[in-house]
Amino acid sequence: MSTTTIEEKQYLTRFRADTKSHLTVLDHDLCQTQCPDKLCTLFCPGEVYKWEGNRMQVGYEGCHECGSCRIGCPHQNIKWEYPKGGHGIVFRLA
């Protein structure tokens, strides 16, 4: 039985990032005023969402494309699209 941690498994993923984000925070003011817990910073396994200053920063380059932000944002304030063809996560199973 393998004792590989989730962090070690995440290390096996590779990304081909596009120059344009496939993730969009629709209203940054809503994050600041109506979402005190900033839940997207907690449930995203790729740690894509970071609250910095008074704005949500999106590091789309490390997105695992799991879709948790599509359903996890209580205000439906994140627009998630598939990355452009040939871009996004590249899985290596080992």
Side-chain angles (χ1 to χ4, degrees), residues 24-89:
T24 307
V25 175
L26 300 173
D27 182 357
H28 288 274
D29 291 334
L30 189 143
C31 294
Q32 185 174 18
T33 60
Q34 297 181 33
C35 192
D37 297 326
K38 314 293 186 267
L39 294 176
C40 59
T41 64
L42 303 174
F43 60 65
C44 176
E47 298 179 354
V48 168
Y49 301 94
K50 303 276 186 208
W51 185 255
E52 294 180 3
N54 61 352
R55 191 170 173 90
M56 186 62 67
Q57 299 298 321
V58 182
Y60 71 94
E61 300 90 345
C63 176
H64 291 196
E65 298 174 32
C66 66
S68 62
C69 58
R70 282 189 285 188
I71 59 173
C73 177
H75 304 285
Q76 297 164 346
N77 194 33
I78 298 173
K79 179 180 177 187
W80 188 97
E81 300 174 302
Y82 284 104
K84 187 168 63 173
H87 294 89
I89 194 165

